Amino acid sequence: MMKYFFAICIMGLLFNYSVFSQEKNITHKVEKGETISQIAIKYNVTPFDIYQLNPDAQNGLKPNSVLLIPKKVNKQKVAVQAKVIVKTATHEVAPKETLYGIEKKYNVSDEDLKKANPTLEKEGLRIGQILVIPSKNSPKTTSVIQEKVIYHEVLPKETKYSIAKKYGITIAELEKKNPEIVSNLPVGYKLIIKGNPETSGPKVEKTIPVVESKKEIAKPNPVKAVATVNYLNYEVKPKETLYSLSKMFGMTQEELISLNPALSQGVVEGMILKVPGTIAVPAVESKKEYAVLSKKMGGNDRKKLVLLLPFNMPKIEGDTVNSTAMRLKKDKFLNMTLDFYAGALMAIDSAKQIGLSLDVKIYDSQETKNTSNVASIIKENNLENADAVVGPFYLTNVEKTAELLNVNQVPVISPLSKDLGNSFSNLYQTIPTVTVVKNAMFDYMRAKGGNMIAVVDKKKESMIQFIKENHKDVKFSVLTENGGLSPENLKSLFVKDKMNYVVMETGNTGMIKSTMATMMGAMATYKVQLVILEPNETLDTDEINFVNLTKLKLMYPSVTRENESPEALIFEKEFKKKNKISPSAFATRGFDITFDTMMRLSQGKKYEETADAMATEQVDNKFEYYKKEEGGYTNKGVYILYYDTDLSIKEAK
């Protein structure tokens, strides 16, 4: 069966090799704690440049190791202050002021004010901001005043909040100047606070009004910044903890408590916290509506889609011990790759049939858990011009791809890795995390107005802690001294006229049987339903009566579904006809991710815009993307499934 896929791979893949010149390079000895980003800044090059000359650096830096650094020849640039003095008024924004009020005060139009202050269009009005008030006699263009670059070296125990507060800027502004600190804040890192350091690229002359004001180029005054801090009120939401709040606001727990002493007694839902106005309070997330995408872009607007799949062809061709047939039998990872590829080919064929105009290229990412050749593929094939990239498979490799393509914000869709590592703004995780899956189950029960009860084995301490910290409205059934179920206590927690959801987390056969027996005994009086949060192998054994599980309508969250719709049956039939075998879960996933990506690219919008605006559903997978606080997107498309009395698995609505 897999020989067919293997033959397709050999015919369809594009192979690329790169040779790196070592001329005009310098060396750098790695010091303890140094990162690629820090070294790149030091030598005025990009991390991509370093990885090209030092591919082993993708596996991590070792102290005292030597890196090759490309030598950049830059002409020294001198900041020149414009000699032309223009009589231009300025205005410092006070609390509660509006654009309309300022425009009325100085008798200027909205268009003129925004033209004189370009940041207003994107960033809006900020307290303490110095605005240029255009004069009718002011020339439209003048020279640039070079701003002095101000740096800050991160000290131990410093946070983004404390640094931003010190210089009177927002955390968002700090991260915008220093995108490398979005995911973490390394001690010793040299932050850019104000100004833009000279780069090796061509100098771009910007045209802005000249301001005769020392405030524009003066070093920030920490004392003044503290005095102008404005505070907002924030209402604590359900499931929030001191830890999650501190992460949300970029502060230490001590800093948050110092502003809100009541927090020292614990976090309570509904309490009002004082938080700095320089911090953007995240908006409440609303559930996206699922949409059926159709072709919308013009026929000449061809999009470029790239697939990076780990066929590892050089490794296969160099295997002198195992034949191709033997390797296909033994190599599960290769079989998974080929299944995914077969599903992707089905998606590409489907896109052609409906007239989508896309250029699709597939490359062998040649990856192991910690290595790949994505850096050379990106450079040699100009993938920074792609509209979307699907792959690679391993987490470290997909993160490296997102990092290298982050400058151009090329969407990188991670097909199989889970959301556990570093975050990049252009990285889209397609597999919902374990936490997202669990929370989806509780959100469903809560939306149904159910009475939630947890029966959790004492051995499952992490599950107990998770429920207590994140779902405080769940009642725990008290266990016996021996750690067994107390049927009397469980039954005492049932409520009439409500669905009583019993969340059972245990692998103990005796506890499972006792819980199920108690629930079935109460069915004459109460509405009950059995729930699990994770796969439970014990439920699949002969000791547990499957019919009883259907009577209790066992319910659980899942990232995939059992789809028997006409469309799904057509896909299965066509796949089997083409490949002589039914599609595996990986084949279906290959189809779903590839087809969903192509359909999003055909909407006449950027991939990011479609992720923000709409959720989609393919054969067995949902794609409901949300921006994460630390950057990038996570998928919250989770199915709630249950065993029905007709012995089938259905989706709970």
Side-chain angles (χ1 to χ4, degrees), residues 72-133:
K72 300 279 186 178
V73 181
N74 297 321
K75 293 181 180 179
Q76 190 174 6
K77 299 179 182 180
V78 181
V80 180
Q81 181 163 337
K83 294 181 180 180
V84 181
I85 303 297
V86 181
K87 294 182 179 180
T88 308
T90 60
H91 174 82
E92 184 172 348
V93 179
K96 299 183 179 179
E97 276 195 312
T98 63
L99 276 177
Y100 174 76
I102 296 170
E103 290 160 0
K104 187 175 181 181
K105 179 178 180 179
Y106 291 99
N107 192 26
V108 295
S109 68
D110 183 70
E111 181 183 355
D112 289 342
L113 187 63
K114 288 180 178 177
K115 188 181 293 184
N117 302 273
T119 59
L120 281 177
E121 198 71 53
K122 292 184 178 180
E123 301 176 7
L125 206 60
R126 304 190 308 276
I127 297 171
Q129 179 182 8
I130 305 299
L131 295 179
V132 177
I133 307 300

Side-chain angles (χ1 to χ4, degrees), residues 509 512-513 516 538-547 549:
T509 305
I512 292 173
K513 285 184 174 181
M516 291 174 63
T538 310
L539 297 180
D540 294 330
T541 62
D542 294 336
E543 296 182 76
I544 306 300
N545 190 327
F546 179 77
V547 174
L549 292 176

Side-chain angles (χ1 to χ4, degrees), residues 273-547:
L273 302 181
K274 182 172 73 170
V275 297
T278 56
I279 294 173
V281 177
V284 177
E285 200 172 82
S286 59
K287 193 79 172 175
K288 286 188 175 76
E289 291 292 330
Y290 278 77
V292 177
L293 303 182
S294 58
K295 176 187 173 185
K296 290 184 180 179
M297 70 181 186
N300 296 324
D301 187 14
R302 296 186 70 84
K303 299 292 184 178
K304 298 177 183 177
L305 173 63
V306 173
L307 273 65
L308 299 177
L309 306 181
F311 298 104
N312 294 315
M313 293 298 294
K315 186 176 180 181
I316 294 172
E317 292 170 348
D319 191 344
T320 58
V321 177
N322 298 301
S323 65
T324 301
M326 184 62 68
R327 191 173 188 89
L328 287 171
K329 287 182 180 179
K330 295 168 61 177
D331 196 332
K332 292 182 180 179
F333 186 73
L334 177 58
N335 277 282
M336 177 182 71
T337 302
L338 296 177
D339 280 6
F340 188 95
Y341 178 57
L345 289 180
M346 288 285 293
I348 294 169
D349 286 343
S350 299
K352 287 180 181 178
Q353 290 176 19
I354 61 176
L356 295 189
S357 180
L358 293 111
D359 290 326
V360 183
K361 292 187 178 180
I362 303 170
Y363 298 97
D364 182 359
S365 55
Q366 296 182 32
E367 57 182 303
T368 63
K369 190 173 183 179
N370 295 307
T371 63
S372 73
N373 70 336
V374 295
S376 59
I377 291 175
I378 290 171
K379 182 177 182 180
E380 293 174 12
N381 299 281
N382 298 319
L383 297 197
E384 60 271 9
N385 296 321
D387 293 292
V389 173
V390 174
F393 281 6
Y394 280 115
L395 176 64
T396 52
N397 298 329
V398 80
E399 286 178 348
K400 180 56 59 185
T401 304
E403 180 184 12
L404 294 173
L405 296 175
N406 188 258
V407 175
N408 287 40
Q409 283 296 293
V410 177
V412 176
I413 295 94
S414 176
L416 296 176
S417 64
K418 294 187 177 179
D419 184 9
L420 298 173
N422 299 319
S423 295
F424 296 93
S425 58
N426 60 325
L427 181 56
Y428 296 77
Q429 298 284 3
T430 63
I431 295 186
T433 65
V434 173
T435 300
V436 164
V437 173
K438 292 176 186 174
N439 286 338
M441 188 70 257
F442 285 104
D443 290 343
Y444 175 85
M445 295 185 289
R446 200 172 285 116
K448 292 294 182 180
N451 176 41
M452 297 179 287
I453 305 163
V455 176
V456 186
D457 197 318
K458 287 182 178 179
K459 296 178 181 179
K460 290 184 171 285
E461 294 179 1
S462 60
M463 183 63 74
I464 294 172
Q465 186 178 358
F466 170 79
I467 296 175
K468 285 184 176 180
E469 287 185 357
N470 298 283
H471 303 283
K472 293 180 173 61
D473 50 346
V474 177
K475 305 170 187 175
F476 277 85
S477 178
V478 179
L479 304 181
T480 64
E481 291 182 2
N482 297 326
L485 178 79
S486 168
E488 295 79 15
N489 179 263
L490 175 58
K491 194 171 181 179
S492 69
L493 298 175
F494 290 159
V495 175
K496 288 186 177 181
D497 303 323
K498 272 190 176 185
M499 177 59 75
N500 294 279
Y501 295 111
V502 178
V503 180
M504 182 184 68
E505 288 298 318
T506 178
N508 184 291
T509 305
M511 183 179 284
I512 292 173
K513 285 184 174 181
S514 182
T515 302
M516 291 174 63
T518 303
M519 292 177 69
M520 292 182 70
M523 289 180 75
T525 310
Y526 301 97
K527 293 187 288 184
V528 295
Q529 187 166 8
L530 184 63
V531 176
I532 58 174
L533 302 176
E534 299 174 328
N536 192 330
E537 294 179 357
T538 310
L539 297 180
D540 294 330
T541 62
D542 294 336
E543 296 182 76
I544 306 300
N545 190 327
F546 179 77
V547 174

Side-chain angles (χ1 to χ4, degrees), residues 156-214:
K157 298 184 179 180
E158 279 193 314
T159 63
K160 295 178 190 177
Y161 165 73
S162 64
I163 296 170
K165 183 178 179 183
K166 178 178 180 180
Y167 292 100
I169 60 177
T170 66
I171 291 177
E173 290 170 333
L174 187 65
E175 290 180 337
K176 187 176 181 181
K177 285 280 188 185
N178 306 272
E180 298 86 359
I181 68 165
V182 171
S183 57
N184 65 343
L185 185 67
V187 174
Y189 190 82
K190 197 174 182 181
L191 297 173
I192 301 170
I193 302 300
K194 192 173 184 181
N196 295 299
E198 294 292 344
T199 63
S200 57
K203 186 174 181 180
V204 179
E205 295 292 342
K206 295 183 180 179
T207 302
I208 58 172
V210 174
V211 182
E212 189 184 0
S213 171
K214 292 182 180 179

